[in-house]
């Protein structure tokens, strides 16, 4: 009897495999010709994931384990080139007016053998993505203005089990990019757990104490064990829908083990001892590791790669246009002053001293590695370190007179002095502030560092309670995803909050308080949002980048490179010719 | 004896109340609250922050939140809810308690095993080179910060080709069922935290033991023992036994010290104990988790003291009577 059961089970599984429509992974991610199956991949996490439901948490450890290793999206962004490619949807079609996108879901299965269907997509959107009570929702990204300018949600309609249609209020440029961040969850497992009368209940399901057997996945690995503060273990999902170019089913590893290590130095020690196969390296550790690598006898290599990730964020300097000091408010509003500040910023010294040379200066709004949106013209607009020019500009705006100590005076005789608000960690922010303040002193401006705890600093920026500040915000593959930061009149446009009416729900832009160039930037985001033609969209965002660098609402400092350490025994992992990292949990293997 | 114990337990109740108020005030004094970190996230809308604020009762005045908290502890045994983990606080602490207690007990055992003989030896050889050497060793251990010693030891181990870099197990044994190999692996790792955490307490214990012994050696009852012609071995046994009394009374204080005083060492050594978890809760403004942890330390201190007093009462009948 048992024997028969086994035969039937094997038959069922192989039929399953035959019926599946696989995605063939490309040779950028699988350059090696003889990859091997089996073994354990060891990675590090800084803390136990709080939840295994992406939309119920804002925890980066949870993101690491869920996004990619455990769950898949309808469309994917290529991990190296950032191009959009099929995911759970094998293909799609866009209607001629750009307002309807139909997705055809591939013949693929959840880890428990149930087929992945349109209902899963609709359920994920309805209860998680568009649920404003879910902590990790992304309603904002899927709510766009229609032709009349009224904000409307994107609608999802089931055509049949394997076809689902998105109906957009108007054509939406970054639609596929935002969709590549929507991880699809199984309706058949989660629907019974959601309390439909209390939509906040989604934040309380699949927390770290869940029985791993309950968690059903569509990514390369499924959860098998969570040991609080020690380890998270994943195991191959036999139903994963990707194969390599030789027809071998992915992933190659049997298991992925995430060791939970809170302290960065210990993580590094474990990596050096060969206990961890792959991890991000802090720039301060790069010289030491590289030296040891070159000396030989170590089990790893380190790579400084072109930055292509939103984190760590590029640092910028801001001057509060709404500061409640009338002299400073006047001063900060003058373009010549902000230009002088950029001339006084010694980017090269900061890169050399603070980032050990491992940073690039020409990155702020977009990364040079982002071929889809980066505008190289900004490199010509950016003002290079030149204290003489800075001084001349300050003289020109009437700050000629100096006091006994050599500091410049306002026409009313007051010393030109302001505070730079900085959070105490990471250390780089303080170091940048210090170097900047030293240079300002050379041109007769007194800048006091105001170094405080990060959460307090966040609140002060959020309340517009600062004079000047240093802070960092991320890039994204598509500028539209950072609309809430860079578009005037939005909630994170913190250096000019008077451009937003906070009391309106939702908050509204206040055009009469905007500079002309700010109005144009506002408009560019609105245009870029509803444009489906990539070339036209790029033109809008090119202009946006130029405006930021001409008018300097903030001054970008630099962006640290991404540094990775990879164990020598890993295959399909390393650097492309363009200096991009190659590593995904489903294509690496043990040599 | 029973009335003594019951009296002591009754005193603990108002003490815990007082401590809970202090814990609450201390946590409230932290700048910001749990939601302040959310303000940084561009995906969170202001309405959502408001909803969360209501959900977490952060919109209520502080005293009201305190009263709700205390009421739930008394009537439901519910110590509150962790904001960041979205789970009951007690459950989270419980998950991490096992290893915390194990390491604390191992460490105390280690300290006593080393410090008491060191103290005895020093006292019997006062003001000799060996006495001074032991004292210096003890004080060096006391003065080196734990996290620093942990880092140095780990570096040395790594340099010498060892693999016991932090943690209690090699990766393959974490979560594996118990076996002889797993036990050996634990022994291969656990000595490091025990030494790092334990060494700092050595000097104190050793000096107390030494001082007590010297005091007792000069006391009249020792002279009378000797005068009666008792064997020197028996006399020494009496001296040691009497000198242990004050040590027992401070043992109660050692327990909470090891729980709370080793947070940084635990972070550096990557130990799955409560310490690093508490540190993170503090950074996250996870209020109820922090308060419960503080209360827990207070409770341990009180229990430790109670146990020490009971042990002392058993050792010395005079205390029971008074």
């Amino acid at each position: 009897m048992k024997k028969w059961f086994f035969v039937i089970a094997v038959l069922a599984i192989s039929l399953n495999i035959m019926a599946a429509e696989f995605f063939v992974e490309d040779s950028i991610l699988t350059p090696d010709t003889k990859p091997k199956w089996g073994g354990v991949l060891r990675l590090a996490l800084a803390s136990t994931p709080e939840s295994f439901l992406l939309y119920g948490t804002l925890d980066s450890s949870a993101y690491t384990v869920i996004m990619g290793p455990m769950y898949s999206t309808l469309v994917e962004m290529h991990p190296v080139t950032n191009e959009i490619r099929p995911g759970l949807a094998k293909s799609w079609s866009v209607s001629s007016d750009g307002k309807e996108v139909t997705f055809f879901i591939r013949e693929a299965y959840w880890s428990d053998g149930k087929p992945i269907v349109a209902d899963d997509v609709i359920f994920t959107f309805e209860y998680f993505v568009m649920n404003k009570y879910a902590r990790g929702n992304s309603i904002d990204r899927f709510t766009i203005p229609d032709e009349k300018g009224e904000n409307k949600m994107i609608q999802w309609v089931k055509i049949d089990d394997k076809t689902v249609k998105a109906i957009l209020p108007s054509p939406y440029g970054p639609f596929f990019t935002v969709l590549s961040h929507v991880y699809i969850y199984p309706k058949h497992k989660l629907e019974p757990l959601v309390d439909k009368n209390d939509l906040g209940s989604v934040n309380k399901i699949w927390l770290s104490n869940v029985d791993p057997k309950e968690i059903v996945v569509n990514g390369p690995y499924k959860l098998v064990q969570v040991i609080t503060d020690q380890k998270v273990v994943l195991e191959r999902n036999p139903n994963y829908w990707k194969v390599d170019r030789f027809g071998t089913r992915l992933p190659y590893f049997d298991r992925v083990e995430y060791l939970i290590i809170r302290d960065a130095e210990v993580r590094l020690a474990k990596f050096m001892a060969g206990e961890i196969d792959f991890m991000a390296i802090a720039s301060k550790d790069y010289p030491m590791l590289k030296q040891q690598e070159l000396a030989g006898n170590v089990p790893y290599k380190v790579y400084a790669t072109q930055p292509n990730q939103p984190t760590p964020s590029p640092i910028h300097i801001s001057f509060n246009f709404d500061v409640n000091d009338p002299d400073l408010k006047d001063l900060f509003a003058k373009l010549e002053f902000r230009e002088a500040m950029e001339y006084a910023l010694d980017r090269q010294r900061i890169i050399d001293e603070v980032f050990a040379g491992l940073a690039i200066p020409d990155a702020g709004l977009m990364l040079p590695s982002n071929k889809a949106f980066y505008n190289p013209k900004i490199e010509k607009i950016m003002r290079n370190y030149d204290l003489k020019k800075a001084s001349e500009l300050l003289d020109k705006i009437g700050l000629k007179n100096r006091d006994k100590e050599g500091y410049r005076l306002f026409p009313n005789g007051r010393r030109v002095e302001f505070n730079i608000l900085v959070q105490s960690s990471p250390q780089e922010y303080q170091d940048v502030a210090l170097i900047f303040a030293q240079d300002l002193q050379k041109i007769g401006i007194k800048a006091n560092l105001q170094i405080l705890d990060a959460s307090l600093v966040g609140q002060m920026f959020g309340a517009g309670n600062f004079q000047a500040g240093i802070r960092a915000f991320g890039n994204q593959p598509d500028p539209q995803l950072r609309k809430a930061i860079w578009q005037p009149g939005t909630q994170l446009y913190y250096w000019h909050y008077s451009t937003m009416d906070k009391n309106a729900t939702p908050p509204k832009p206040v055009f009469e308080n905007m500079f002309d160039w700010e109005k144009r930037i506002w408009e560019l985001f609105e245009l870029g949002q509803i444009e489906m033609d990539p070339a036209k969209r790029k033109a809008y965002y090119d202009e946006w980048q130029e405006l930021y660098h001409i008018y300097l609402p903030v001054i970008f400092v630099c962006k640290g490179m991404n540094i990775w350490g990879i164990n020598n025994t890993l295959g399909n992992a390393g650097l492309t010719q363009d200096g991009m990292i190659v590593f995904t949990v489903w294509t690496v293997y043990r040599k | 004896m029973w009335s003594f114990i019951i009296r002591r337990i009754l005193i603990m109740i108002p003490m815990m109340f007082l401590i809970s108020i202090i814990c609450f005030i201390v946590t409230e004094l932290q700048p910001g609250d749990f939601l302040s970190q959310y303000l940084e996230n561009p995906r969170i809308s202001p309405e959502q922050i408001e909803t969360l604020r209501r959900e977490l009762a952060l919109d209520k005045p502080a005293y009201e939140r305190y009263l709700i908290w205390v009421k739930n502890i008394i009537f439901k045994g519910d110590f509150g809810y962790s904001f960041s983990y979205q789970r009951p606080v007690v459950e989270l602490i419980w998950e991490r308690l096992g290893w915390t207690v194990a390491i604390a007990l191992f460490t105390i055992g280690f300290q006593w095993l080393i410090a008491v003989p060191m103290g005895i030896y020093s006292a019997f050889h006062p003001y000799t080179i060996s006495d001074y050497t032991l004292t210096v060793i003890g004080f060096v251990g006391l003065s080196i910060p734990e996290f620093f010693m942990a880092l140095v030891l780990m570096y040395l181990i790594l340099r010498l080709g060892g693999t016991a870099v932090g943690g209690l197990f090699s990766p393959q044994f974490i979560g594996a069922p118990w076996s002889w190999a797993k036990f050996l692996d634990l022994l291969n790792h656990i000595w490091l935290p025990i030494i790092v955490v334990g060494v700092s307490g050595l000097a104190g214990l050793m000096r107390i033991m030494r001082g007590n012994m010297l005091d007792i050696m000069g006391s009249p009852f020792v002279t009378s023992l000797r005068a009666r012609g008792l064997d020197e071995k028996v006399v020494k046994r009496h001296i040691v036994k009497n000198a242990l009394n004050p040590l027992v009374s401070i043992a109660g204080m050692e327990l909470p010290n090891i729980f709370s005083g080793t947070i940084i060492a635990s972070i550096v050594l990557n130990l799955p104990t409560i310490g690093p978890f508490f540190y993170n809760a503090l950074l996250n403004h996870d209020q109820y988790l922090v308060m419960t942890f503080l209360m827990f330390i207070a409770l341990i201190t009180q229990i430790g003291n109670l146990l020490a007093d009971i042990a002392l009462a058993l050792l010395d009948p005079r205390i029971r009577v008074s």
Side-chain angles (χ1 to χ4, degrees):
Chain A
M1 187 63 200
K2 260 189 182 169
K3 204 171 170 186
W4 274 111
F5 181 76
F6 178 75
V7 170
I8 290 170
V10 168
L11 262 176
I13 290 170
S14 44
L15 277 176
N16 214 349
I17 289 172
M18 277 188 283
E21 291 170 298
F22 288 110
F23 176 85
V24 182
E25 190 50 270
D26 69 14
S27 60
I28 300 178
L29 295 179
T30 57
D32 294 5
T33 51
K34 282 182 185 160
K36 279 193 271 185
W37 242 45
V40 179
L41 175 67
R42 290 227 170 82
L43 303 170
L45 276 184
S47 59
T48 317
E50 286 167 12
S51 168
F52 293 96
L53 180 66
L54 180 75
Y55 307 96
T57 183
L58 292 169
D59 165 42
S60 64
S61 288
Y63 291 172
T64 309
V65 176
I66 296 168
M67 297 167 87
M70 286 174 67
Y71 285 91
S72 306
T73 51
L74 266 188
V75 299
E76 285 191 352
M77 196 176 279
H78 191 286
V80 175
T81 64
N82 279 357
E83 281 160 320
I84 295 293
R85 60 181 198 169
L88 294 173
K90 60 183 173 183
S91 60
W92 52 85
S93 64
V94 184
S95 67
S96 54
D97 63 357
K99 284 161 62 171
E100 284 185 9
V101 186
T102 312
F103 294 92
F104 306 98
I105 297 168
R106 73 176 65 244
E107 201 57 43
Y109 300 86
W110 291 99
S111 55
D112 64 355
K114 296 255 170 27
I116 298 169
V117 291
D119 284 334
D120 295 317
V121 177
I122 293 169
F123 174 79
T124 301
F125 270 91
E126 188 174 354
Y127 287 98
F128 305 143
V129 180
M130 308 305 278
N131 172 356
K132 64 178 175 183
Y133 298 100
R135 279 191 176 186
N137 76 62
S138 24
I139 300 183
D140 287 0
R141 293 180 174 186
F142 292 93
T143 307
I144 49 171
D146 63 5
E147 274 107 10
K148 290 180 204 138
E150 234 174 283
N151 273 331
K152 289 221 170 104
M153 288 181 190
I154 292 173
Q155 302 291 317
W156 289 86
V157 186
K158 177 180 171 178
I159 307 293
D160 60 45
D161 265 358
K162 287 288 182 185
T163 319
V164 60
K165 193 188 326 186
I167 301 171
L168 314 178
S170 50
Y172 181 35
F175 181 56
F176 288 97
T177 314
V178 291
L179 203 57
S180 71
H181 288 73
V182 176
Y183 291 81
I184 305 298
Y185 272 75
K187 180 183 181 189
H188 67 280
K189 291 302 279 188
L190 284 165
E191 197 176 28
L193 303 178
V194 179
D195 176 355
K196 290 185 179 161
N197 297 317
D198 170 19
L199 290 178
S201 62
V202 299
N203 297 324
K204 289 167 188 143
I205 49 186
W206 281 8
L207 300 177
S208 57
N209 56 353
V210 65
D211 176 5
K213 286 193 205 76
E214 288 302 304
I215 297 186
V216 162
V217 303
N218 54 19
Y221 298 96
K222 57 183 180 180
L223 186 70
V224 289
Q225 197 180 28
V226 180
I227 305 166
T228 307
D229 294 346
Q230 298 191 63
K231 195 157 95 169
V232 175
V233 184
L234 309 182
E235 199 173 78
R236 180 203 313 279
N237 167 13
N239 291 338
Y240 191 48
W241 43 275
K242 280 184 188 172
V243 292
D244 68 8
R245 55 205 172 103
F246 316 106
T248 314
R249 196 156 189 159
L250 294 169
Y252 295 117
F253 277 106
D254 293 335
R255 287 155 77 89
V256 179
E257 296 189 351
Y258 289 93
L259 303 182
I260 297 167
I261 306 164
R262 210 170 282 271
D263 184 65
E265 302 300 326
V266 182
R267 271 201 297 276
L268 184 66
K270 288 209 178 255
F271 170 72
M272 290 169 72
E275 279 185 38
I276 292 168
D277 289 315
F278 174 84
M279 62 176 237
I281 305 283
S283 51
K284 71 176 173 52
D285 296 322
Y286 179 81
M288 181 265 295
L289 291 173
K290 195 73 194 172
Q291 235 169 33
Q292 295 199 354
E293 177 194 321
L294 294 175
N297 284 331
V298 289
Y300 53 81
K301 284 195 177 67
V302 282
Y303 300 94
T305 73
Q306 272 297 312
N308 66 337
Q309 309 230 339
T311 52
S313 302
I315 298 175
H316 64 258
I317 302 171
S318 54
F319 294 93
N320 190 355
F321 289 113
D322 299 314
V323 67
N324 54 17
D325 178 316
D327 289 334
L328 289 178
K329 188 173 171 175
D330 229 34
L331 182 65
F332 294 166
K334 287 186 176 130
L335 175 61
E336 290 88 348
F337 170 77
R338 300 195 301 278
E339 284 186 292
M341 292 298 103
E342 191 178 19
Y343 278 121
L345 176 66
D346 193 350
R347 289 192 177 92
Q348 199 50 50
R349 182 175 162 209
I350 288 166
I351 290 172
D352 291 343
E353 291 180 13
V354 182
F355 290 86
L358 299 164
I360 55 169
D362 44 351
L365 296 166
M366 280 290 127
L367 293 171
S369 59
N370 188 339
K371 300 280 182 272
F373 286 103
Y374 180 68
N375 180 0
K377 237 192 226 170
I378 63 144
E379 291 159 37
K380 295 203 185 76
I381 307 172
M382 272 170 62
R383 297 149 195 90
N384 290 323
Y385 183 57
D386 189 337
L387 288 182
K388 213 174 130 229
K389 273 194 186 149
S391 274
E392 284 167 13
L393 279 166
L394 293 175
D395 289 347
K396 205 175 123 193
I397 54 173
L399 303 176
K400 257 197 158 137
N401 295 333
R402 302 203 182 210
D403 64 10
K404 274 182 251 157
E405 289 172 58
Y407 289 115
R408 288 171 194 269
L409 299 171
F410 283 113
N412 62 13
R414 209 182 119 195
R415 179 189 276 181
V416 181
E417 177 175 357
F418 52 80
N419 297 329
I420 303 181
L421 180 63
V422 196
Q423 62 190 54
S424 54
S425 73
Q427 181 69 32
E428 285 109 1
Y429 295 15
Q430 287 183 52
D431 295 345
V432 168
L434 188 69
I435 290 176
F436 185 52
Q438 281 173 355
D439 279 315
L440 291 188
Q441 195 182 10
K442 286 182 203 156
I443 54 170
I445 287 181
K446 189 155 194 312
N448 310 307
L449 300 194
Q450 192 181 4
I451 302 170
L452 294 166
D453 177 67
S455 62
L456 198 58
V457 170
Q459 282 181 344
M460 290 169 73
F461 279 128
N465 175 20
F466 70 105
Q467 296 182 334
I470 290 195
R471 148 177 243 211
F473 276 139
N475 320 98
Q476 281 287 329
D478 193 304
Q480 196 68 31
L481 301 180
R482 281 292 179 255
K483 182 179 162 177
I485 300 172
W486 308 127
Q487 187 185 36
T490 51
Q491 47 174 321
L492 286 169
Y493 199 77
Y494 70 95
W495 53 89
H496 202 177
Y497 264 144
S498 63
T499 57
M500 177 176 79
D501 178 4
K502 277 193 180 185
N503 296 322
T505 31
K508 278 199 172 110
V510 181
F511 294 106
E512 59 268 28
N513 289 340
M514 286 187 197
F515 297 103
D516 287 342
W517 50 269
E518 281 184 313
K519 282 181 200 149
R520 178 62 183 159
I521 291 172
W522 187 89
E523 202 173 78
L524 286 169
F525 269 99
E526 297 303 301
L527 291 168
Q529 175 163 269
I530 54 168
E531 180 59 64
M532 288 293 255
D533 178 359
K536 282 189 191 152
R537 291 194 73 218
K538 181 166 190 320
Y540 290 138
Y541 292 114
D542 276 352
E543 187 184 342
W544 159 66
Q545 290 169 68
E546 286 164 33
L547 286 174
Y548 253 79
H549 284 273
I550 293 170
Y551 292 102
L552 300 170
V554 299
I555 302 168
F556 288 104
V557 180
C558 66
K559 157 108 179 166
M561 291 182 182
N562 295 111
I563 302 165
W564 302 100
I566 304 182
N567 191 286
N568 288 335
T569 59
L570 287 192
N572 285 343
L575 220 53
T576 64
Q577 280 180 338
D578 304 341
M580 309 287 253
I581 194 75
V582 174
F583 177 95
T584 70
V585 287
W586 64 89
T587 54
V588 284
Y589 69 96
R590 184 85 60 197
K591 282 190 236 173
Chain B
M1 183 69 183
W2 281 110
S3 70
F4 167 77
I5 295 175
I6 290 168
R7 208 168 57 234
R8 285 296 315 267
I9 292 177
L10 284 180
I11 296 173
M12 278 167 67
I13 295 171
M15 275 302 280
M16 287 309 288
F17 255 107
L18 206 65
I19 290 166
S20 74
I21 294 175
I22 296 172
C23 289
F24 191 83
I25 294 174
V26 168
T27 0
E28 276 291 309
L29 286 179
Q30 271 201 102
D33 60 37
F34 176 70
L35 291 176
S36 53
Q37 57 185 324
Y38 275 40
L39 297 172
E40 291 289 292
N41 190 324
R43 283 167 69 180
I44 301 285
S45 64
E47 293 97 327
Q48 233 182 317
I49 301 251
E50 269 322 297
T51 316
L52 273 169
R53 201 176 285 285
R54 256 195 314 276
E55 237 174 66
L56 302 176
L58 288 170
D59 57 342
K60 293 209 172 82
Y63 72 93
E64 211 170 302
R65 269 181 288 138
Y66 171 77
L67 290 179
I68 295 172
W69 183 56
V70 171
K71 200 178 83 191
N72 284 339
I73 294 176
I74 296 172
F75 294 109
K76 296 187 197 152
D78 173 9
F79 281 78
Y81 188 70
S82 155
F83 298 158
S84 55
Y85 288 83
Q86 310 229 31
R87 286 172 57 194
V89 163
V90 175
E91 200 181 302
L92 291 164
I93 290 185
W94 200 244
E95 274 176 9
R96 290 158 177 84
L97 202 58
W99 282 114
T100 313
V101 172
I103 289 171
L105 292 181
F106 270 123
T107 310
I108 291 180
F110 163 79
Q111 286 179 341
W112 277 60
L113 269 181
I114 305 281
V116 171
M118 267 167 83
I120 296 174
Y121 182 87
S122 277
F124 285 133
H125 305 86
Y127 313 114
T128 60
I129 299 256
S130 46
D131 176 25
Y132 289 131
T133 314
L134 286 178
T135 306
V136 167
I137 292 174
F139 277 95
V140 168
L142 178 72
S143 49
I144 297 178
E146 285 168 5
F147 75 90
F148 181 72
M149 180 154 37
L151 280 178
V152 170
L153 282 177
M154 283 203 311
Y155 175 77
L156 289 177
I157 292 169
L158 197 63
R159 264 286 130 119
L160 297 172
T163 50
V165 235
L168 287 177
F169 295 103
S170 304
Q172 65 269 29
F173 288 112
I174 301 175
W178 278 100
S179 65
W180 185 240
K182 181 171 174 174
F183 180 69
L184 288 180
D185 187 63
L186 173 66
L187 290 187
N188 191 22
H189 285 79
I190 205 170
W191 60 270
L192 187 66
I194 289 178
I195 289 182
V196 168
V197 180
V199 162
S200 62
L202 282 184
L205 278 177
M206 182 206 141
R207 292 299 287 181
I208 292 171
M209 188 69 195
R210 180 181 174 278
N212 290 342
M213 298 237 331
L214 288 178
D215 272 356
I216 290 163
M217 272 184 216
S219 66
F221 96 90
V222 176
T223 320
S224 83
L225 285 180
R226 287 213 171 97
R228 284 180 204 165
L230 240 77
D231 184 42
E232 191 57 22
K233 262 191 192 160
V234 180
V235 175
K236 282 187 177 167
R237 205 187 307 142
H238 276 282
I239 295 173
V240 172
K241 200 183 153 204
N242 271 285
L244 277 175
N245 276 3
L247 267 195
V248 171
S249 69
I250 62 157
M253 293 301 293
E254 269 306 286
L255 205 60
N257 272 347
I258 288 175
F259 268 83
S260 61
T262 57
I263 292 174
I264 297 185
S266 294
I267 293 172
V268 172
L269 290 167
N270 199 37
L271 301 180
T273 59
I274 288 185
F277 174 66
F278 170 62
Y279 171 76
N280 225 36
L282 265 178
L283 289 184
N284 282 338
H285 297 283
D286 207 339
Q287 195 178 19
Y288 296 112
L289 201 50
V290 171
M291 290 191 302
T292 308
F293 182 83
L294 292 177
M295 291 282 287
F296 176 74
I297 292 287
L299 186 69
I300 296 267
T301 313
Q302 298 225 31
I303 291 176
N305 274 331
L306 178 68
L307 289 179
D309 285 353
I310 294 172
L312 214 55
L314 288 174
L315 271 175
D316 190 340
R318 286 171 299 178
I319 293 170
R320 252 175 291 169
V321 179
S322 65

